């Protein structure tokens, strides 16, 4: 099974691209969604996050995202510690998921694929890019957030230039028509390699 990593900075449009691959019948694994799900249901992860962040880590059994975000985006060591707790569980879940798929390749969408070394487990990597101003505009529209918070998140991610250097394919996500066209070209190339 060919594993294709799909990454890009916050607001670049990874979800839009993932949906296009899904429409082509390609199974898509959204690592962020699975991480959130595991943080909600895994007793082991909960116990470790309580130990790391204190009792405020969860409110009524749900992850206290604003509280955690306030900590991890101001201190990268906490982000690294949290990732060390969650990422190995997500990786194991992904391995099991892949075994159940019946397709020429699968897409693994991970925002911080390069930052956490996940690209090493992929046969190919697609990076989604978009101009910074476009990304900020999308995020302000999508999330209840501020430009300052968006910029703080962006500072914790690799730049597009760094990601592109290590990628096999790049999708410039500016218009839906152009994005669909780029996805189709990459899909055809991947089918030949499968």
């Amino acid at each position: 099974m060919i594993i294709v990593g799909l990454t890009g900075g916050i607001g670049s449009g990874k979800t839009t691209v993932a949906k296009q691959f899904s429409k082509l019948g390609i199974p898509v694994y959204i690592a962020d969604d699975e991480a959130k799900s595991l943080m909600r249901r895994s007793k082991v992860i909960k116990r470790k996050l309580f130990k790391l962040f204190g009792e405020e880590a969860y409110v009524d059994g749900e992850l206290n995202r604003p509280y955690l975000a306030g900590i991890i985006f101001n201190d990268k060591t906490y982000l690294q510690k949290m990732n060390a707790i969650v990422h190995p569980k997500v990786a194991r879940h992904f391995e099991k998921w892949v075994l159940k798929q019946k397709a020429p390749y699968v897409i693994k969408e991970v925002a911080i694929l390069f930052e956490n070394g996940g690209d090493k487990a992929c046969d190919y990597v697609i990076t989604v890019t978009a101009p910074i101003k476009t990304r900020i505009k999308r995020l302000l529209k999508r999330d209840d957030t501020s430009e300052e918070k968006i910029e703080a998140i962006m500072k914790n991610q690799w730049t597009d230039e760094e990601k592109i250097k290590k990628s096999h394919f790049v999708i410039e996500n500016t218009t839906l028509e152009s994005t669909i066209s780029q996805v189709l070209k990459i899909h055809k190339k991947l089918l030949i390699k499968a």
Side-chain angles (χ1 to χ4, degrees), residues 93-108:
H93 184 270
F94 174 72
E95 287 167 11
K96 290 176 187 171
W97 177 85
V98 167
L99 295 174
K100 297 174 190 166
Q101 304 312 310
K102 306 270 187 276
Y105 66 93
V106 296
I107 297 280
K108 183 180 186 184

Side-chain angles (χ1 to χ4, degrees), residues 9 11 20 22 27 53-54 73 77-79 82 86 91 99 103 106 115 125 128-129 151 158 173 179 181 187:
Q20 297 312 313
S22 192
F53 296 108
F73 288 114
T77 58
Y78 277 103
L79 179 61
M82 186 174 86
V86 179
L99 295 174
V106 296
E115 293 87 336
V125 175
V128 182
T129 66
E151 285 167 3
W158 282 22
N173 180 26
T179 299
S181 166
H187 176 64

Side-chain angles (χ1 to χ4, degrees), residues 29 34 38 41 89-98:
Y29 183 92
E34 192 50 48
L38 284 168
R41 53 176 218 266
K89 286 262 194 197
V90 174
R92 281 194 293 282
H93 184 270
F94 174 72
E95 287 167 11
K96 290 176 187 171
W97 177 85
V98 167

Side-chain angles (χ1 to χ4, degrees), residues 90 122 126 143 145 191:
V90 174
C122 297
I126 301 167
D143 302 340
T145 191
L191 288 178

Side-chain angles (χ1 to χ4, degrees), residues 125-129 164 167-172 182 186:
V125 175
I126 301 167
T127 290
V128 182
T129 66
I164 288 167
S167 298
H168 301 89
F169 305 101
V170 177
I171 293 176
E172 175 70 28
Q182 292 172 78
I186 293 169

Side-chain angles (χ1 to χ4, degrees), residues 4 6 11 25-26 37 48 50-51 61 72 75 77 80-81 99 106 126 130 144 149 152 161 173 180-181 184 186-187:
V4 181
L6 176 65
I26 300 303
S37 175
K48 289 180 178 179
F50 273 130
K51 192 174 177 186
I72 62 177
D75 186 341
T77 58
Q80 289 163 351
K81 287 175 184 178
L99 295 174
V106 296
I126 301 167
D144 181 24
K149 283 182 183 171
E161 292 73 25
N173 180 26
I180 290 169
S181 166
L184 286 170
I186 293 169
H187 176 64

